[in-house]
Amino acid sequence: MRTMEQTSDRLTGLSRQYFTERHLGSPMELSQVLGLVPRLSAGALHARTAVLRLADEETGAYDQVYRFDLAQPEMPDAAEEALAGLTRRETVPFLIPDLREDDRLAPHAPGRPVSAISVPLLQNQALIGTLCVFDRIPARPGGPAVFEDQDVNLLVTLATEAGIAIENARLFRAAAQRADELAALREVGQAIARRLELGEVLEAIATGAMRLLGSQHSQILLWDEEAQCLRYGSAVGTEAERVKTQSFAGGRGVNVAVARTRRPVLVDDYQASPYALPEFPDVVATITTPVLFGERLLGILHVHTTEAGKRFSPSDLRKLEMLATQAAIAIENARLHSATVRRGEQLATLNELTGTLSTVLAPPAVAEAILRAVQMLLPVHGGQLWECRDGKTLTLITAGGVGTFSGQTRLDIGAGLVGLAAASREVVYSGDVRTDPRFVNQAWAAAQGFISAIALPLVQGDRVTGALVVLTRAAYHFSGEEIVLLRAFAAHAAIALENARLHE
């Protein structure tokens, strides 16, 4: 008789195992799998309660993700938590005939006999959770009210199938999430790509970042390579106006840290972090990534939240980094477009100015026209025109600025900034004429407020006929394209000045 009962139980177990595997083997969303595993476990083992715990993918904590109770819950959570903890520590199945008789579980056991089984959930030999069942219901009157070894084997098999199903569901969810992210990024990227003006591009990038991460604020800051600091680019959201006046000097804050290290930073608790600034007392969490074009830093992309309890995830960081890649290309394209437009405008202006210069015949008038023309081409604020008639000496014809010129008007070729340009027939640059001893008229430059200067030789055939100096009232580094444009203008200016001399 006992043999027939064992055979019947075995067939029932195999039937339930087949039923379970058939269900868990079907493709499902993660939430469906998490709910199905405890229900199937309770049904397969005639248990009143089944609990599934899984390790949180971000925090690593083993949280209760689903609990099934056949009737009104009688099993205390503390008993399940204690048994699950024991299973995690030992990483082996446990069969407990009566919780009250196990010293480790007795303090949490209910006041009646309760049997339990707990098994670990493994993936590639790594623990990902636990599955516990409690309180066996006799399949028939007089049947066993405690779990047996065959029940342990069945739950182990079920846990194996559950681990596979959970992994598949996570992969499915990750693929779906990845597809959604790519779709959102593609949409944002298209919105950015439709714009050519740098200001519009930056605003679209900041808007896209805030939308992708579901935050209240985002900003993009541009890297000034010459000054080695961040400058305002664009900001959207609740903090936009405040960012416009924020200073990024002195190495303060997470934005500066990311720009210097060129590594992304995710801050879960901003106020407790070393990046916290007193002027931002309401910021809760931040996420920041560099915007790189190849090895060159273009700026940083930053998102933060003021919502209590809000945190950013590694998935958010991945999305922001992908957006930063698109942003770098868009920024570079916008700059190239701007440079192309500016170059076309400058060439048109150059052609117009050279035509105007050819109609001026008096040397002093030519000199004045040259200085006015160069200020129309580039963001310069004044200048000097020197001529050389004897091949040895430079004489100042005119100096553009405010008020009357007072200073040295004759130089030997090779002396000073102007003389060096004439002697070398090369462009000579000064970052600050107020302190550069090569600039002989420092008092005049200081009075005018000039800072940066560039001197270019005027060459006619094989002769140096003079030199042109242009000055700015702000620290300015002339780009390669601007120097090419200045050289072209200097060549036309040399011709105009020579024509005026011949006319004279």
Side-chain angles (χ1 to χ4, degrees), residues 268-289:
D268 278 336
D269 188 348
Y270 177 80
Q271 298 303 328
S273 75
Y275 308 109
L277 299 177
E279 55 263 42
F280 297 104
D282 51 350
V283 174
V284 173
T286 68
I287 185 170
T288 316
T289 186

Side-chain angles (χ1 to χ4, degrees), residues 127-463:
L127 180 70
I128 64 165
T130 56
L131 179 59
C132 300
V133 294
F134 298 89
D135 207 0
R136 180 184 173 101
I137 303 171
R140 55 190 170 276
V146 296
F147 295 111
E148 300 176 340
D149 290 339
Q150 65 181 18
D151 297 317
V152 176
N153 295 333
L154 182 57
L155 193 60
V156 168
T157 302
L158 177 58
T160 301
E161 294 295 325
I164 295 172
I166 290 170
E167 176 67 10
N168 290 339
R170 281 176 169 172
L171 291 174
F172 176 78
R173 183 185 63 177
Q177 183 179 358
R178 182 71 167 168
D180 291 341
E181 289 176 2
L182 291 175
L185 280 167
R186 182 168 59 252
E187 187 176 342
V188 171
Q190 290 172 347
I192 295 171
R194 286 194 293 266
R195 292 159 172 79
L196 291 175
E197 296 298 328
L198 182 59
E200 294 180 355
V201 168
L202 297 177
E203 184 177 356
I205 292 169
T207 301
M210 187 169 70
R211 176 185 167 191
L212 279 177
L213 272 64
S215 186
Q216 303 93 7
H217 172 80
S218 69
Q219 65 189 42
I220 182 165
L221 306 174
L222 298 180
W223 178 250
D224 187 326
E225 184 63 31
E226 182 180 355
Q228 291 289 295
C229 69
L230 290 168
R231 300 193 184 282
Y232 175 79
S234 183
V236 294
T238 56
E239 306 289 307
E241 291 302 317
R242 183 162 58 174
V243 174
K244 291 180 181 179
T245 59
Q246 183 183 355
S247 171
F248 305 103
R252 303 168 67 244
V254 65
N255 294 329
V256 175
V258 169
R260 287 184 172 177
T261 62
R262 301 189 180 189
R263 294 182 180 277
V265 171
L266 192 156
V267 179
D268 278 336
D269 188 348
Y270 177 80
Q271 298 303 328
S273 75
Y275 308 109
L277 299 177
E279 55 263 42
F280 297 104
D282 51 350
V283 174
V284 173
T286 68
I287 185 170
T288 316
T289 186
V291 179
L292 299 169
F293 189 78
E295 297 297 321
R296 184 156 51 90
L297 178 67
L298 301 185
I300 64 98
L301 185 56
H302 168 94
V303 176
H304 73 244
T305 180
T306 55
E307 180 184 344
K310 170 74 174 179
R311 294 292 183 267
F312 294 111
S313 67
S315 173
D316 293 324
L317 180 57
R318 184 179 67 251
K319 287 186 285 187
L320 197 65
E321 288 180 310
M322 293 175 67
L323 178 60
T325 300
Q326 293 183 342
I329 297 171
I331 291 171
E332 195 67 9
N333 287 341
R335 285 176 170 172
L336 290 174
H337 171 75
S338 177
T340 300
V341 172
R342 186 171 63 251
R343 179 70 167 165
E345 293 173 347
Q346 289 173 335
L347 289 175
T349 303
L350 178 61
N351 289 332
E352 183 180 349
L353 292 176
T354 53
T356 301
L357 286 178
S358 65
T359 65
V360 182
L361 296 178
V366 169
E368 293 289 344
I370 288 172
L371 291 187
R372 287 196 303 272
V374 78
Q375 291 179 62
M376 295 175 64
L377 279 176
L378 294 170
V380 298
H381 307 101
Q384 298 176 342
L385 190 68
W386 300 71
E387 69 171 342
C388 177
R389 297 199 177 192
D390 58 4
K392 299 179 181 179
T393 307
L394 291 164
T395 302
L396 182 68
I397 302 178
T398 187
V402 179
T404 305
F405 176 80
S406 59
Q408 193 168 344
T409 58
R410 294 179 67 84
L411 284 172
D412 292 334
I413 287 185
L417 196 74
V418 181
L420 287 173
S424 65
R425 302 193 181 191
E426 296 292 338
V427 173
V428 180
Y429 172 76
S430 175
D432 192 343
V433 295
R434 299 167 301 179
T435 58
D436 190 340
R438 298 176 303 169
F439 194 81
V440 295
N441 292 311
Q442 286 181 339
W444 171 77
Q448 296 288 329
F450 293 135
I451 297 176
S452 298
I454 189 170
L456 303 100
L458 301 181
V459 181
Q460 183 67 15
D462 60 351
R463 295 182 300 111

Side-chain angles (χ1 to χ4, degrees), residues 360-366 387 389 397 496-504:
V360 182
L361 296 178
V366 169
E387 69 171 342
R389 297 199 177 192
I397 302 178
L497 187 59
E498 183 69 9
N499 289 340
R501 287 176 183 167
L502 291 174
H503 176 76
E504 184 184 38

